[in-house]
Structure formats: structure tokens, C-alpha cells
Amino acid sequence: MARILFLLALALLTGCLANGQATEPTYNYDETKVGTYTLPNPLINNKGKAVKTQAEWRSRRKELIQLFAENVYGQTPKQAVKLRFQTTSVDSSALNGLAIRKLVSIFFVDYPQLLPIEVLLYLPKGRKVIPVFLGLNFCGNHCVTTEADIPLSTRWMGNAIGEVSVNNKATEKARGMQERRWPIETILRRGYALATAYYGDIEPDYPQGWHSGIRSVLGESTAPASDTTKANSWGAIGAWAWGMSRILDYLQTEPSIDAKRVISIGHSRIGKAAVWAGAQDERFAAVIGNESGEGGAALARRWYGETVERINTSFPYWFCGRYKTYNKRVADLPVDQHELLALIAPRPLYIASADGDQWSDPKGEFLGAAYAEPVYKLYGKVGLGTTDGRPQAFPAVNQPIGQTVRYHDRSGKHDVTDYDWEQYLRFADELVR
Ligand code: GCU
């Protein structure tokens, strides 16, 4: 009997620990347990004064970026970094003649110890001044297409991806592995270019990854963000967002690109980075956060799906040290994610969820987008739109809603599908061109 009880206790304990929980669940899928919460008002400044004009919002905007830097993502280094862009290959008849394909290395001149960011750029042939989707990829440029002459990335890759990487290096099996998520031909036929790079070129995604990434040389501190003594040194999400801006620096030098129409796009953890990049860097003309979830579009105060405590436990190096101090007191965070989304205003914003991805909290992402409304209104724009001054009802699956801010909850799992891209292309056609 004692043995059975012991085994039962052990099973319960290890079960809990396997979920990353010590004493209580750090995630929640029960809507009745969400509780009540009060969101901070983006239009009340740090001194408690109401923000009524666009000019006042410009100052409030700076305050909010600073609050996100100090409490969530860490400080993005402000100093300019000398870059050198080197085109390593041009194929003027890629994808069976549909595209011009360029491979460009972005070198960090003052940090020769860092390897470059390798950018893959597809331009639709026969067009000039082309708007572009810029999004980082999860597994190397060789993953987004089956074009066999794209060099296999030599950088660190997560082994969790399976046989496609061995000993943390990509194998030939990885070629085209995420092709489905990047409908390049459709994007090009619709008149857009696509720029992508492996997010691990900026920082490999594991706790010690910063040693070989940009955070090893740049930032308030070279300590990992999990070091709470350096409370607001930047985390990996900050680094990936910074990297997106460096790719934008390069795109600004590319004559056929319309640098005023660069759309920041990202999925999941890269979606968090795409939104933080677009919030800080107003050169991004529009932003798309696909299932960006906790630390992305989802409200932190809504206790549903992944939570602040959970993400800080699983991925401490993504955020700044101080973020961890809110694990058990999310209500004390001086910001919430609707204010991150409000930083995109008045630019077009698309937030998307999937009903099979409750981890990202679709409703929390929807509300994040909905509560950005007052800032869009300040610019005379309708964001997601309201009913009697309140957020409209959460839409049914596969029913995109909104105007300058758009939202959909796709049916299906955590992913990027043709359905998602179809909405993004339509959004770009209507609001970015
Ligand atoms: C984990 C993590 C999420 C993240 C996701 C992803 O599930 O908890 O926050 O968005 O990975 O990047 O796929």
C-alpha cells in the first residue's frame, strides 16, 4: 500500500514537473477561471494626464516603448551599427523564371567575430518599386523553398525539429521543410517581394545562444536576460526584432524595393518579434502577428492559455530580467499587450489566431487588437471597429473582421496556412499599396 501511495505521489509530482509547474498550473484552458482584470489605458500618460492629441500621443508613444523595454523585452540598443551588405548571388530566372532571387549577407563591420545575417530575397520579375513582406524563418533559408541551390544554413538548429537537423546542424532533409508556410509564388504573382532570414542568424534560440549572437557584443549588458541583476538588458525577442530592422536597413538600399512599403510579418515567437520590431521601428509600413500569443498580441492580464509565469519559466532568455518579477503579479505590469499593438497606430495591423491554438489565447489576441482602438481613433481611423463604443463580439472562425486593424481566428492548428496568407495579401492590397 505504502509503495502504491509512493508511486502515485511520484507520478503526480513528475506529471506536474513535466508540465513545468511546481505547485500550481501556469497555464489555463478554462474560461471560467480567467477572472477579472483592469487594463492600463494607453491614453493616460505616466503623469496620469489624458492624451488627447496626436502630438501628445507622440510623447506617450515614447513612454510606452520605454515601459515595454524596462519591463518586458529589455532595452534595444540605440547605437547605430556599421553594416556591410554583400550580394553573394543573383539568379535572374529563379522559380522557373518568375523571380529574381538574391542572397545578401549583412556583415557587422565592427564585430567581425559575428557571422552575417543571410538574407534571401525574391523579387517578382518585371516589376519596379515593389512592396515587400519581411519575415524571419524558423529553420534556415533552405527551409522556405525547395530551390536546391540555396546554401544549407550552417548555423545552430534545434534538434527538436527531428531528422532535419542532427547535432544541431541542418541536413539536406530540411530543404523545403516549411515551404508550405511560405507561398512564395503566390506572393510574387500578387506583386510583392519576399525577404527572409533565419532567426538563429541573429541569435540561436536556446538559453546560451546569446553567446554567438548580437547580444554578445551589443546592449546595455552582455549578461543573459535571465540575469535579474541586469533587470532590463534585452532578451532574444528584442534581438530578433532588432535584426528585422537591420534587414530593413538593407532593403532601403535595394533599388527595386519600395522601402516605404515593408511589411513586418512573423509567426509565433517570431510573431512576437515582428510586432515588437514594428512597434519600435516606424519605417515598417504595416505589421502582421500570426499566432504571436503570450508576449505578442495576447493580453497578459487575461489568465488563459500560456501565461507570463509560464513563458518566463520555459523561455526566460526571451525577455528581460524584470519581466520575471511579474510572474505572480501580472496586474502590476505597467503595460499590457494592447498598448504594444497601439504603438503600430496609425499603420495597418493584422492579428491572427487559430481555434486549435488555445495556447496562444485567440480571445486574448483579439482583445489585444480591440483595445488598441482609441489610438487608431486619435488618428481618425477605425481599427477593429466597435459596437456602442465597446469591442465587437469575438468573430466566428474564418470570419476576418476590422478595418485598419484586422483579425481572424482560423480553423485548425498552430501554423501559417494559405488561408492566412490570402487574408494578409488582401490586407496588403487594400491598405499598404
Ligand atoms: C512555445 C511558446 C510560445 C511560442 C511558441 C512558438 O509554444 O510557449 O510562446 O509562441 O512556442 O514559437 O511556436
PDB file of all heavy atoms in Angstrom, residues 138 205 267-270 272 291-294 306 310-311 314-315 318 359-360 414, ligand 1:
ATOM      1  N   PHE A 138      12.088  30.001 -39.278  1.00  0.00           N
ATOM      2  CA  PHE A 138      12.436  29.153 -38.141  1.00  0.00           C
ATOM      3  C   PHE A 138      13.597  28.201 -38.393  1.00  0.00           C
ATOM      4  O   PHE A 138      14.165  27.674 -37.446  1.00  0.00           O
ATOM      5  CB  PHE A 138      11.230  28.297 -37.736  1.00  0.00           C
ATOM      6  CG  PHE A 138      10.279  28.980 -36.801  1.00  0.00           C
ATOM      7  CD1 PHE A 138       9.192  29.685 -37.277  1.00  0.00           C
ATOM      8  CD2 PHE A 138      10.483  28.920 -35.427  1.00  0.00           C
ATOM      9  CE1 PHE A 138       8.308  30.318 -36.404  1.00  0.00           C
ATOM     10  CE2 PHE A 138       9.607  29.548 -34.547  1.00  0.00           C
ATOM     11  CZ  PHE A 138       8.526  30.243 -35.033  1.00  0.00           C
ATOM     12  N   ASP A 205      18.270  30.123 -30.837  1.00  0.00           N
ATOM     13  CA  ASP A 205      17.175  30.098 -29.870  1.00  0.00           C
ATOM     14  C   ASP A 205      17.363  29.033 -28.799  1.00  0.00           C
ATOM     15  O   ASP A 205      16.695  28.003 -28.789  1.00  0.00           O
ATOM     16  CB  ASP A 205      15.865  29.881 -30.648  1.00  0.00           C
ATOM     17  CG  ASP A 205      14.636  30.041 -29.788  1.00  0.00           C
ATOM     18  OD1 ASP A 205      14.780  30.389 -28.607  1.00  0.00           O
ATOM     19  OD2 ASP A 205      13.526  29.818 -30.321  1.00  0.00           O
ATOM     20  N   HIS A 267       5.432  34.600 -37.263  1.00  0.00           N
ATOM     21  CA  HIS A 267       4.586  33.578 -36.657  1.00  0.00           C
ATOM     22  C   HIS A 267       5.136  33.208 -35.284  1.00  0.00           C
ATOM     23  O   HIS A 267       6.338  33.023 -35.117  1.00  0.00           O
ATOM     24  CB  HIS A 267       4.583  32.340 -37.571  1.00  0.00           C
ATOM     25  CG  HIS A 267       3.942  31.129 -36.975  1.00  0.00           C
ATOM     26  ND1 HIS A 267       2.627  31.105 -36.591  1.00  0.00           N
ATOM     27  CD2 HIS A 267       4.445  29.897 -36.686  1.00  0.00           C
ATOM     28  CE1 HIS A 267       2.342  29.906 -36.101  1.00  0.00           C
ATOM     29  NE2 HIS A 267       3.421  29.155 -36.141  1.00  0.00           N
ATOM     30  N   SER A 268       4.207  33.137 -34.323  1.00  0.00           N
ATOM     31  CA  SER A 268       4.545  32.596 -33.020  1.00  0.00           C
ATOM     32  C   SER A 268       5.646  33.399 -32.316  1.00  0.00           C
ATOM     33  O   SER A 268       5.542  34.616 -32.216  1.00  0.00           O
ATOM     34  CB  SER A 268       4.914  31.129 -33.183  1.00  0.00           C
ATOM     35  OG  SER A 268       4.555  30.433 -32.029  1.00  0.00           O
ATOM     36  N   ARG A 269       6.759  32.774 -31.888  1.00  0.00           N
ATOM     37  CA  ARG A 269       7.798  33.556 -31.202  1.00  0.00           C
ATOM     38  C   ARG A 269       8.365  34.614 -32.145  1.00  0.00           C
ATOM     39  O   ARG A 269       8.721  35.717 -31.733  1.00  0.00           O
ATOM     40  CB  ARG A 269       8.903  32.658 -30.651  1.00  0.00           C
ATOM     41  CG  ARG A 269       9.713  31.924 -31.666  1.00  0.00           C
ATOM     42  CD  ARG A 269      10.487  30.778 -31.059  1.00  0.00           C
ATOM     43  NE  ARG A 269       9.596  29.704 -30.633  1.00  0.00           N
ATOM     44  CZ  ARG A 269       9.987  28.615 -29.968  1.00  0.00           C
ATOM     45  NH1 ARG A 269      11.245  28.456 -29.633  1.00  0.00           N
ATOM     46  NH2 ARG A 269       9.114  27.682 -29.633  1.00  0.00           N
ATOM     47  N   ILE A 270       8.419  34.269 -33.428  1.00  0.00           N
ATOM     48  CA  ILE A 270       8.914  35.254 -34.406  1.00  0.00           C
ATOM     49  C   ILE A 270       7.836  36.324 -34.634  1.00  0.00           C
ATOM     50  O   ILE A 270       8.143  37.462 -34.983  1.00  0.00           O
ATOM     51  CB  ILE A 270       9.328  34.530 -35.709  1.00  0.00           C
ATOM     52  CG1 ILE A 270      10.541  33.622 -35.424  1.00  0.00           C
ATOM     53  CG2 ILE A 270       9.649  35.523 -36.812  1.00  0.00           C
ATOM     54  CD1 ILE A 270      11.001  32.775 -36.601  1.00  0.00           C
ATOM     55  N   LYS A 272       6.042  37.488 -32.142  1.00  0.00           N
ATOM     56  CA  LYS A 272       6.258  38.416 -31.024  1.00  0.00           C
ATOM     57  C   LYS A 272       7.321  39.437 -31.453  1.00  0.00           C
ATOM     58  O   LYS A 272       7.192  40.641 -31.227  1.00  0.00           O
ATOM     59  CB  LYS A 272       6.736  37.666 -29.774  1.00  0.00           C
ATOM     60  CG  LYS A 272       5.815  36.507 -29.322  1.00  0.00           C
ATOM     61  CD  LYS A 272       6.372  35.789 -28.087  1.00  0.00           C
ATOM     62  CE  LYS A 272       5.994  34.322 -27.941  1.00  0.00           C
ATOM     63  NZ  LYS A 272       4.636  33.954 -27.808  1.00  0.00           N
ATOM     64  N   GLU A 291      -0.516  34.288 -34.743  1.00  0.00           N
ATOM     65  CA  GLU A 291      -0.468  33.436 -33.551  1.00  0.00           C
ATOM     66  C   GLU A 291       0.723  33.781 -32.660  1.00  0.00           C
ATOM     67  O   GLU A 291       1.506  32.911 -32.279  1.00  0.00           O
ATOM     68  CB  GLU A 291      -0.483  31.961 -33.968  1.00  0.00           C
ATOM     69  CG  GLU A 291      -1.786  31.601 -34.662  1.00  0.00           C
ATOM     70  CD  GLU A 291      -1.685  30.451 -35.643  1.00  0.00           C
ATOM     71  OE1 GLU A 291      -0.963  29.490 -35.382  1.00  0.00           O
ATOM     72  OE2 GLU A 291      -2.353  30.507 -36.706  1.00  0.00           O
ATOM     73  N   SER A 292       0.848  35.066 -32.372  1.00  0.00           N
ATOM     74  CA  SER A 292       2.002  35.547 -31.604  1.00  0.00           C
ATOM     75  C   SER A 292       1.833  35.292 -30.109  1.00  0.00           C
ATOM     76  O   SER A 292       2.812  35.261 -29.367  1.00  0.00           O
ATOM     77  CB  SER A 292       2.225  37.034 -31.872  1.00  0.00           C
ATOM     78  OG  SER A 292       1.053  37.768 -31.579  1.00  0.00           O
ATOM     79  N   GLY A 293       0.589  35.144 -29.642  1.00  0.00           N
ATOM     80  CA  GLY A 293       0.325  34.670 -28.281  1.00  0.00           C
ATOM     81  C   GLY A 293       0.924  35.506 -27.162  1.00  0.00           C
ATOM     82  O   GLY A 293       1.080  36.725 -27.270  1.00  0.00           O
ATOM     83  N   GLU A 294       1.283  34.810 -26.087  1.00  0.00           N
ATOM     84  CA  GLU A 294       1.833  35.474 -24.897  1.00  0.00           C
ATOM     85  C   GLU A 294       3.111  36.238 -25.259  1.00  0.00           C
ATOM     86  O   GLU A 294       3.974  35.721 -25.970  1.00  0.00           O
ATOM     87  CB  GLU A 294       2.165  34.398 -23.844  1.00  0.00           C
ATOM     88  CG  GLU A 294       2.425  34.939 -22.463  1.00  0.00           C
ATOM     89  CD  GLU A 294       1.168  35.511 -21.811  1.00  0.00           C
ATOM     90  OE1 GLU A 294       0.064  35.025 -22.087  1.00  0.00           O
ATOM     91  OE2 GLU A 294       1.308  36.457 -21.014  1.00  0.00           O
ATOM     92  N   GLU A 306      -1.143  30.141 -22.494  1.00  0.00           N
ATOM     93  CA  GLU A 306       0.167  30.374 -21.866  1.00  0.00           C
ATOM     94  C   GLU A 306       0.087  31.655 -21.035  1.00  0.00           C
ATOM     95  O   GLU A 306      -0.630  32.582 -21.394  1.00  0.00           O
ATOM     96  CB  GLU A 306       1.220  30.527 -22.970  1.00  0.00           C
ATOM     97  CG  GLU A 306       2.640  30.573 -22.462  1.00  0.00           C
ATOM     98  CD  GLU A 306       3.659  30.580 -23.620  1.00  0.00           C
ATOM     99  OE1 GLU A 306       3.324  31.078 -24.715  1.00  0.00           O
ATOM    100  OE2 GLU A 306       4.787  30.089 -23.396  1.00  0.00           O
ATOM    101  N   ARG A 310       4.392  31.200 -17.121  1.00  0.00           N
ATOM    102  CA  ARG A 310       4.780  30.019 -17.880  1.00  0.00           C
ATOM    103  C   ARG A 310       5.860  30.345 -18.917  1.00  0.00           C
ATOM    104  O   ARG A 310       6.856  29.648 -19.066  1.00  0.00           O
ATOM    105  CB  ARG A 310       3.537  29.419 -18.544  1.00  0.00           C
ATOM    106  CG  ARG A 310       3.808  28.172 -19.348  1.00  0.00           C
ATOM    107  CD  ARG A 310       4.446  27.082 -18.467  1.00  0.00           C
ATOM    108  NE  ARG A 310       4.847  25.953 -19.276  1.00  0.00           N
ATOM    109  CZ  ARG A 310       4.200  24.793 -19.327  1.00  0.00           C
ATOM    110  NH1 ARG A 310       3.129  24.598 -18.597  1.00  0.00           N
ATOM    111  NH2 ARG A 310       4.638  23.834 -20.094  1.00  0.00           N
ATOM    112  N   ILE A 311       5.664  31.434 -19.639  1.00  0.00           N
ATOM    113  CA  ILE A 311       6.631  31.757 -20.699  1.00  0.00           C
ATOM    114  C   ILE A 311       7.981  32.146 -20.088  1.00  0.00           C
ATOM    115  O   ILE A 311       9.039  31.811 -20.613  1.00  0.00           O
ATOM    116  CB  ILE A 311       6.070  32.838 -21.650  1.00  0.00           C
ATOM    117  CG1 ILE A 311       6.752  32.754 -23.013  1.00  0.00           C
ATOM    118  CG2 ILE A 311       6.178  34.246 -21.097  1.00  0.00           C
ATOM    119  CD1 ILE A 311       6.043  33.539 -24.115  1.00  0.00           C
ATOM    120  N   SER A 314       9.578  28.774 -19.167  1.00  0.00           N
ATOM    121  CA  SER A 314      10.074  27.966 -20.290  1.00  0.00           C
ATOM    122  C   SER A 314      11.146  28.699 -21.096  1.00  0.00           C
ATOM    123  O   SER A 314      12.066  28.082 -21.608  1.00  0.00           O
ATOM    124  CB  SER A 314       8.944  27.630 -21.260  1.00  0.00           C
ATOM    125  OG  SER A 314       7.780  27.277 -20.606  1.00  0.00           O
ATOM    126  N   PHE A 315      10.970  29.999 -21.260  1.00  0.00           N
ATOM    127  CA  PHE A 315      11.854  30.757 -22.163  1.00  0.00           C
ATOM    128  C   PHE A 315      12.361  32.032 -21.483  1.00  0.00           C
ATOM    129  O   PHE A 315      12.099  33.139 -21.958  1.00  0.00           O
ATOM    130  CB  PHE A 315      11.103  31.120 -23.458  1.00  0.00           C
ATOM    131  CG  PHE A 315      10.553  29.930 -24.185  1.00  0.00           C
ATOM    132  CD1 PHE A 315       9.205  29.609 -24.111  1.00  0.00           C
ATOM    133  CD2 PHE A 315      11.389  29.107 -24.945  1.00  0.00           C
ATOM    134  CE1 PHE A 315       8.688  28.497 -24.782  1.00  0.00           C
ATOM    135  CE2 PHE A 315      10.883  27.995 -25.606  1.00  0.00           C
ATOM    136  CZ  PHE A 315       9.525  27.684 -25.530  1.00  0.00           C
ATOM    137  N   TRP A 318      14.098  34.944 -23.449  1.00  0.00           N
ATOM    138  CA  TRP A 318      13.416  35.728 -24.489  1.00  0.00           C
ATOM    139  C   TRP A 318      13.144  37.165 -24.034  1.00  0.00           C
ATOM    140  O   TRP A 318      12.969  38.060 -24.844  1.00  0.00           O
ATOM    141  CB  TRP A 318      12.067  35.091 -24.850  1.00  0.00           C
ATOM    142  CG  TRP A 318      12.135  33.861 -25.693  1.00  0.00           C
ATOM    143  CD1 TRP A 318      13.253  33.238 -26.162  1.00  0.00           C
ATOM    144  CD2 TRP A 318      11.019  33.094 -26.168  1.00  0.00           C
ATOM    145  NE1 TRP A 318      12.897  32.129 -26.900  1.00  0.00           N
ATOM    146  CE2 TRP A 318      11.534  32.021 -26.915  1.00  0.00           C
ATOM    147  CE3 TRP A 318       9.637  33.206 -26.029  1.00  0.00           C
ATOM    148  CZ2 TRP A 318      10.718  31.070 -27.533  1.00  0.00           C
ATOM    149  CZ3 TRP A 318       8.820  32.262 -26.636  1.00  0.00           C
ATOM    150  CH2 TRP A 318       9.349  31.213 -27.386  1.00  0.00           C
ATOM    151  N   TRP A 359      -3.307  27.698 -26.816  1.00  0.00           N
ATOM    152  CA  TRP A 359      -2.088  28.112 -26.093  1.00  0.00           C
ATOM    153  C   TRP A 359      -1.817  29.603 -26.320  1.00  0.00           C
ATOM    154  O   TRP A 359      -1.394  30.320 -25.423  1.00  0.00           O
ATOM    155  CB  TRP A 359      -0.922  27.260 -26.593  1.00  0.00           C
ATOM    156  CG  TRP A 359       0.367  27.407 -25.853  1.00  0.00           C
ATOM    157  CD1 TRP A 359       1.544  27.904 -26.339  1.00  0.00           C
ATOM    158  CD2 TRP A 359       0.640  27.026 -24.497  1.00  0.00           C
ATOM    159  NE1 TRP A 359       2.518  27.861 -25.382  1.00  0.00           N
ATOM    160  CE2 TRP A 359       1.995  27.323 -24.236  1.00  0.00           C
ATOM    161  CE3 TRP A 359      -0.129  26.463 -23.482  1.00  0.00           C
ATOM    162  CZ2 TRP A 359       2.602  27.091 -23.006  1.00  0.00           C
ATOM    163  CZ3 TRP A 359       0.471  26.231 -22.248  1.00  0.00           C
ATOM    164  CH2 TRP A 359       1.815  26.541 -22.020  1.00  0.00           C
ATOM    165  N   SER A 360      -2.076  30.053 -27.559  1.00  0.00           N
ATOM    166  CA  SER A 360      -1.844  31.478 -27.889  1.00  0.00           C
ATOM    167  C   SER A 360      -2.991  32.374 -27.433  1.00  0.00           C
ATOM    168  O   SER A 360      -2.902  33.585 -27.576  1.00  0.00           O
ATOM    169  CB  SER A 360      -1.671  31.664 -29.399  1.00  0.00           C
ATOM    170  OG  SER A 360      -0.553  30.992 -29.874  1.00  0.00           O
ATOM    171  N   HIS A 414      -1.938  25.498 -34.761  1.00  0.00           N
ATOM    172  CA  HIS A 414      -0.867  26.498 -34.721  1.00  0.00           C
ATOM    173  C   HIS A 414      -0.013  26.354 -35.982  1.00  0.00           C
ATOM    174  O   HIS A 414       0.707  25.360 -36.136  1.00  0.00           O
ATOM    175  CB  HIS A 414      -0.028  26.207 -33.467  1.00  0.00           C
ATOM    176  CG  HIS A 414       1.020  27.215 -33.167  1.00  0.00           C
ATOM    177  ND1 HIS A 414       0.737  28.538 -32.906  1.00  0.00           N
ATOM    178  CD2 HIS A 414       2.372  27.104 -33.053  1.00  0.00           C
ATOM    179  CE1 HIS A 414       1.856  29.189 -32.638  1.00  0.00           C
ATOM    180  NE2 HIS A 414       2.868  28.340 -32.729  1.00  0.00           N
TER     181      HIS A 414
HETATM  182  C1  GCU B   1       6.005  27.827 -27.479  1.00  0.00           C
HETATM  183  C2  GCU B   1       5.868  29.086 -26.660  1.00  0.00           C
HETATM  184  C3  GCU B   1       5.048  30.147 -27.389  1.00  0.00           C
HETATM  185  C4  GCU B   1       5.597  30.359 -28.776  1.00  0.00           C
HETATM  186  C5  GCU B   1       5.673  29.043 -29.500  1.00  0.00           C
HETATM  187  C6  GCU B   1       6.307  29.116 -30.887  1.00  0.00           C
HETATM  188  O1  GCU B   1       4.786  27.176 -27.562  1.00  0.00           O
HETATM  189  O2  GCU B   1       5.280  28.738 -25.436  1.00  0.00           O
HETATM  190  O3  GCU B   1       5.043  31.370 -26.671  1.00  0.00           O
HETATM  191  O4  GCU B   1       4.814  31.305 -29.462  1.00  0.00           O
HETATM  192  O5  GCU B   1       6.466  28.151 -28.760  1.00  0.00           O
HETATM  193  O6  GCU B   1       7.134  29.963 -31.150  1.00  0.00           O
HETATM  194  O7  GCU B   1       5.990  28.226 -31.702  1.00  0.00           O
END
